[in-house]
Amino acid sequence: MKVLVACEYSGVVRDAFTAAGHDAMSCDLLPTDSKGKHFQGDICKLLKAGQWDLIIAHPPCTALTVAGNSTYGEGQPKYAERLAAVEWTVSLWEAMKVAAERVCMENPVGVLRRLGGMQKPQYVQPYEHGHKEQKKTALFLHNLPDLIPTDGVFEEMMALPKNVRERLHYLPPSPDRWKIRSTTYKGIAAAMALQWGSL
C-alpha cells in the first residue's frame, strides 16, 4: 500500500506503516525527527504528483481546537485566523479525497464540524491502545472504518494521579512542548497500520 502521512515530522505513523511492509512517506515543512522516507515541503506538491492508496494527515490545530477559544473564538483577537485555518483545512481535506481512495484527518476536539461543515468524526483515546493517558482526538474518516480499540487500559489509567494520566496537559513550558503534544501515540499508529493497512 502506498501511504502518505501528511503534516508529520515525528515519523511515528510513517514508521508503523513501514514496519508493516507498506511504502510509507511522511511530509512536513520540518525535517523528520526519525530516519525514514520523508518529503520536506508543501503537501500540495505531493497531492498533485500522484495517487495514494491512503493518506493520514495531522494538519496544524492551534487555531482549530476548542482549547484556544479564549484567543481564537468569535469576538476574540485571532478569530479571523481561526476562520482562515478552517478554510485551509477543509480545502486540504477535499484535495486529499481526490488524491487518495482512503483518507484520515486527525485533529483535537475543535471547530471543524461547526465552522467548516465537516462530517462527524470518530473520537479515540490513547488508553484504548495501551497508553495510560487521556487525550481525546478526532479522526475524520473517508472510506475508512472506525479504528477499533486494541488494548484498553482505562481502569489502570484511572488509578493514576490526574497529572500523570493527563501528562500532555500538564507539560511545563519548553521549546519542544508543542512537538511533544502533537506527536501521535505509538499504540494508535500501530492500530492504524494493522487495521487500515489490511484493507
Side-chain angles (χ1 to χ4, degrees), residues 30 32 36 51 97 106 119 123 129 143 165 172 190 192:
L30 298 173
T32 183
Q51 196 72 16
K97 289 193 296 181
E106 175 270 340
Q119 66 200 55
Y123 290 104
H129 300 279
N143 288 336
R165 65 179 188 260
M192 289 175 170

Side-chain angles (χ1 to χ4, degrees), residues 68-170:
N69 283 350
S70 61
T71 303
Y72 294 95
E74 190 169 358
Q76 300 303 318
K78 295 188 176 183
Y79 185 61
E81 289 182 34
R82 168 169 279 181
L83 295 179
V86 168
E87 182 179 3
W88 182 86
T89 306
V90 171
S91 294
L92 174 65
W93 170 251
E94 295 300 329
M96 291 189 298
K97 289 193 296 181
V98 172
E101 181 181 354
R102 300 178 177 92
V103 180
C104 167
M105 187 170 73
E106 175 270 340
N107 236 241
V109 178
V111 298
L112 282 174
R113 191 173 182 208
R114 180 172 62 85
L115 296 180
M118 292 285 295
Q119 66 200 55
K120 184 178 180 181
Q122 178 193 14
Y123 290 104
V124 298
Q125 287 275 8
Y127 60 72
E128 297 173 329
H129 300 279
H131 300 274
K132 297 173 187 174
E133 295 186 33
Q134 294 171 275
K135 188 192 178 192
K136 188 177 181 181
T137 303
L139 301 179
F140 295 92
L141 305 175
H142 172 68
N143 288 336
L144 286 169
D146 284 355
L147 204 61
I148 300 169
T150 54
D151 184 11
V153 292
F154 179 78
E155 291 184 9
E156 297 96 316
M157 179 197 69
M158 290 305 292
L160 299 173
K162 186 176 181 182
N163 66 332
V164 174
R165 65 179 188 260
E166 296 182 19
R167 173 183 64 91
L168 296 181
H169 178 72
Y170 287 94

Side-chain angles (χ1 to χ4, degrees), residues 2 46-54 96-101:
K2 191 177 178 185
L46 293 180
L47 296 181
K48 293 174 183 176
Q51 196 72 16
W52 302 86
D53 297 309
L54 171 65
M96 291 189 298
K97 289 193 296 181
V98 172
E101 181 181 354

